[in-house]
Amino acid sequence: MAMKKSEGRVTIEKQVEDRRTSIGSQRNPASEEAILKAAQDILLEGGLPAFSIEAVARRAKAGKPTIYRWWPSKAALLLDVYHRQKDGVPHPDTGDIRKDLSLFLGGLIGFWRDGGGAIFRSIIAEAQSDPAALQALQAYALSRCRQSGVILERGQARGEVRADIDPALLIELFSSFAWNRLLTSRLDVSDEEIEQIVSAVVDGVAVRK
Amino acid sequence: MAMKKSEGRVTIEKQVEDRRTSIGSQRNPASEEAILKAAQDILLEGGLPAFSIEAVARRAKAGKPTIYRWWPSKAALLLDVYHRQKDGVPHPDTGDIRKDLSLFLGGLIGFWRDGGGAIFRSIIAEAQSDPAALQALQAYALSRCRQSGVILERGQARGEVRADIDPALLIELFSSFAWNRLLTSRLDVSDEEIEQIVSAVVDGVAVRK
Amino acid sequence: MAMKKSEGRVTIEKQVEDRRTSIGSQRNPASEEAILKAAQDILLEGGLPAFSIEAVARRAKAGKPTIYRWWPSKAALLLDVYHRQKDGVPHPDTGDIRKDLSLFLGGLIGFWRDGGGAIFRSIIAEAQSDPAALQALQAYALSRCRQSGVILERGQARGEVRADIDPALLIELFSSFAWNRLLTSRLDVSDEEIEQIVSAVVDGVAVRK
Amino acid sequence: MAMKKSEGRVTIEKQVEDRRTSIGSQRNPASEEAILKAAQDILLEGGLPAFSIEAVARRAKAGKPTIYRWWPSKAALLLDVYHRQKDGVPHPDTGDIRKDLSLFLGGLIGFWRDGGGAIFRSIIAEAQSDPAALQALQAYALSRCRQSGVILERGQARGEVRADIDPALLIELFSSFAWNRLLTSRLDVSDEEIEQIVSAVVDGVAVRK
DNA sequence: AACTAACCGAGACGGTACGTCTCGTCTTATG
DNA sequence: CATAAGACGAGACGTACCGTCTCGGTTAGTT
């Protein structure tokens, strides 16, 4: 992406090496792209400790004020970076609530374990000190729970799931578990563990009388 | 010279007053106490962003090296501060697994909501960038889950809870929910919500056939 | 926004007042000046022991990195401070080598005695532990000796001074005496002593046969 | 020296490794020796920058208070270290003032160049900030000049040197030159240079009429 | 023989300064 | 007027020493 940026301007005069300058009184998409790319790369390579506005500017060959102009805080940049990744967590519809929930939970954990979690971890951490990030995180989490609640709603429609269950709340319970494992770097969850959790919740912990 | 030494301490009690000096080749409990107190106060007042070794040293009227001597990292100090608060989360034993779990989850959330959570939030945030903090957090979380697992073990002993349930894993599921709410500042959980979650897990989400 | 920028500077003069910020991608003369001034004042007030980068930064209301950016070492800053004082040691040209040398030596000692020596003392001291300072001092001393050698060169041109004398070496001998007195705080040299030294060297210590 | 210290106690029980403890209510010569030795070694190896009370204590395996008990300041320790070295600068008596002065100046420079100067440099540097060191240095320098003045006094007695010359002052002039070279690390003075200086002063710089 | 007094090492204490890092703001020069 | 560049004040980081203090142990003289 970042390489493409000068491609359209090659013929216009002599082009000073590889420098990216203003394109006038408007936001420069090449800069935005370079900054987001740099931010993402830094996060994936060095994690949150390596992530600083300074480092992003350096790597993106951008001026710090350019970053501050468009992203008011570290958290805003983090969120933008996160939104770029399509998160690939599915809302399966196999017709079997056990399978659906196992696939959902396993998918979420797997996505995070395979590299997708680093940035989200950073956002959660940032949200503990930055109120703006916190609000964004709240909104994001809520909408995700609602979206994923569809799994249970389908189960309810099929008469497979109790009608008095709040789908979003239950999804929150499952994804909380994934959060916990993400935040404690214990994402190596076996299929058995996932199935045990799903089974416990679906069938109930209590002995059937 | 030797006479002067004890002269200032004749009145046994209230003495510390101004300056706190060494008590010889051994750790000074007064310093440790002052440092932990200062650290706690700073955390409660300004949260994680205000928490720096510099600030703690200043407030505790201690030298920075004194802190570094005893706590190798910011995270170590954070954990020590957290350990000082007796966390008051109970392991209730009412004989009814529903009540026990509700009291446990409600107790944890209540404790965090009423001020006890701020420091733990900070530790989780810190653990996202500091490997040492992460390790400490892992160990802590694990041991807590095992401890609280006793609630379910008692249920199993009573024949109330399925024997194939892993107590620690189930507790982890419940406390994950509390973590989630702590980290998203949504600890205002109603008793109904807690009961719904407990009920869902105890009785199962599935419709009984 | 853009309008606000110049608003505070409408009245051209007296403006600096409180805060001194960047003037763009280039060295800020106001900062440089403030730092050198602060350094000089600290040296004159508290001498070398009071002179620390920390103290200079504090007094100049500058950040430490700003100092380290422009002066790689304490010694470099010291030398810059010394160079600011025009040192007022003359190269007199009375036509009489005795008078010229007396005025030179007396002038040097007098300049140091009347306040100008404190900083140079500090530089010499610093050079004993800092190789960079040492090198700077060597270069400075050498060039001064060569400059002042002109006194003897004129004497040689007049046929008053032996042609086989190395002017710089002789000047070094005289200024060494001043160094010695500076470093041992014995700058209260009487005119008689100066004349005795000059007389000894000019006329020779040996009895004329 | 330091090695000998346990020699007398070998047979008395099992001797805890190599520890040097108190010998009762009196100064322990072994400790003093070990401290001076350590101080000297550090100075010769790392120069003034490496010389700290901390380092000396570490190397001498002594407690810091033991050092502070006997030497009130860094300078005092430095001076003691310097006094241990017999300085080997001669007061030659060849009967020829030229030879005597050349041997004196050459001897002083040579002694310093061959390792003896490092400590004296340190003392001079220290004296620029420590008044106690300064005073000690003044006294030392004065007495040395007076002692070495004997060279010129003998010349005066022989009728070889003008009677109106102050011997100490002249010696100060010569040794100032050595100081200068010591402090600027330019002790590689050739015999020719020494002879030129001596010749200039003995015979006079002025052309004989 | 017991006691005292001073010494010993060790090392903790409250501090200061070090030199490096990042922060978020600012101004320049370039296009 | 947006950009890359980079200087600025601020202040935290972790380290090295400073000079003071207390400790527990050792040993020489004195009782």
Side-chain angles (χ1 to χ4, degrees), chain B residues 1 25 27 35 37 67 73 78 96 197:
Chain B
M1 303 277 162
S25 265
R27 187 163 183 168
I35 289 166
K37 179 69 163 56
I67 299 182
S73 68
L78 273 171
D96 177 358
I197 289 170

Side-chain angles (χ1 to χ4, degrees), chain D residues 113-171:
Chain D
R113 182 182 53 229
D114 303 341
I119 297 171
F120 196 58
R121 282 179 71 170
S122 306
I123 292 171
I124 296 176
E126 189 68 18
Q128 303 317 306
S129 42
D130 182 333
L134 179 60
Q135 207 178 339
L137 178 62
Q138 285 174 340
Y140 176 78
L142 209 63
S143 90
R144 291 299 309 231
C145 284
R146 273 207 259 271
Q147 276 176 46
S148 302
V150 71
I151 295 171
L152 285 155
E153 284 163 7
R154 284 191 295 241
Q156 287 173 323
R158 286 195 302 268
E160 199 183 3
V161 173
R162 281 161 48 189
D164 63 339
I165 292 294
D166 177 346
L169 192 64
L170 241 284
I171 288 293

Side-chain angles (χ1 to χ4, degrees), chain C residues 68-141:
Chain C
Y68 281 108
R69 184 158 25 241
W70 303 117
W71 293 274
S73 69
K74 201 154 124 169
L77 183 51
L78 274 171
L79 276 167
D80 254 27
V81 170
Y82 187 61
H83 282 143
R84 289 180 94 220
Q85 335 182 287
K86 247 231 43 53
D87 65 43
V89 178
H91 297 157
D93 186 10
T94 62
D96 177 357
I97 193 65
R98 275 172 201 77
K99 269 192 189 146
D100 285 356
L101 287 173
S102 292
L103 287 170
F104 165 73
L105 186 54
L108 181 56
I109 288 174
F111 168 65
W112 281 348
R113 182 182 53 228
D114 302 342
I119 298 172
F120 197 59
R121 283 179 71 169
S122 304
I123 292 172
I124 296 176
E126 188 69 16
Q128 305 316 307
S129 41
D130 181 334
L134 179 59
Q135 206 177 338
L137 179 61
Q138 285 174 342
Y140 176 77

Side-chain angles (χ1 to χ4, degrees), chain B residues 163-180:
Chain B
D164 63 338
I165 292 293
D166 177 348
L169 192 64
L170 242 283
I171 289 294
E172 196 182 349
L173 183 63
F174 280 107
S175 49
S176 290
F177 180 78
W179 280 44
N180 181 320

Side-chain angles (χ1 to χ4, degrees), chain D residues 175-202:
Chain D
S175 49
S176 289
F177 180 79
W179 281 43
N180 181 321
R181 291 304 182 100
L182 173 66
L183 295 170
T184 53
S185 276
R186 293 182 302 137
L187 286 171
D188 52 339
V189 187
S190 68
D191 289 350
E192 286 72 33
E193 281 178 300
I194 290 175
E195 269 165 41
Q196 182 169 172
I197 290 170
V198 170
S199 144
V201 175
V202 171

Side-chain angles (χ1 to χ4, degrees), chain C residues 11-81:
Chain C
T11 50
I12 268 181
E13 294 174 282
K14 175 196 81 82
Q15 179 264 337
V16 174
E17 45 157 345
D18 275 304
R19 201 162 182 276
R20 189 177 55 242
T21 73
S22 168
I23 57 167
S25 273
Q26 58 188 293
R27 187 161 182 169
N28 186 339
S31 286
E32 181 180 8
E33 175 59 27
I35 289 166
L36 287 172
K37 179 69 163 54
Q40 181 171 0
D41 291 351
I42 288 173
L43 268 174
L44 293 177
E45 287 170 21
L48 192 54
F51 184 80
S52 69
I53 299 286
E54 199 95 21
V56 173
R58 210 154 39 220
R59 182 154 184 159
K61 293 197 165 300
K64 275 196 290 175
T66 301
I67 300 181
Y68 281 108
R69 184 158 25 241
W70 303 117
W71 293 274
S73 69
K74 201 154 124 169
L77 183 51
L78 274 171
L79 276 167
D80 254 27
V81 170

Side-chain angles (χ1 to χ4, degrees), chain B residues 121-135:
Chain B
R121 284 179 69 170
S122 304
I123 292 171
I124 296 176
E126 186 69 16
Q128 305 316 306
S129 42
D130 181 334
L134 179 59
Q135 207 178 337

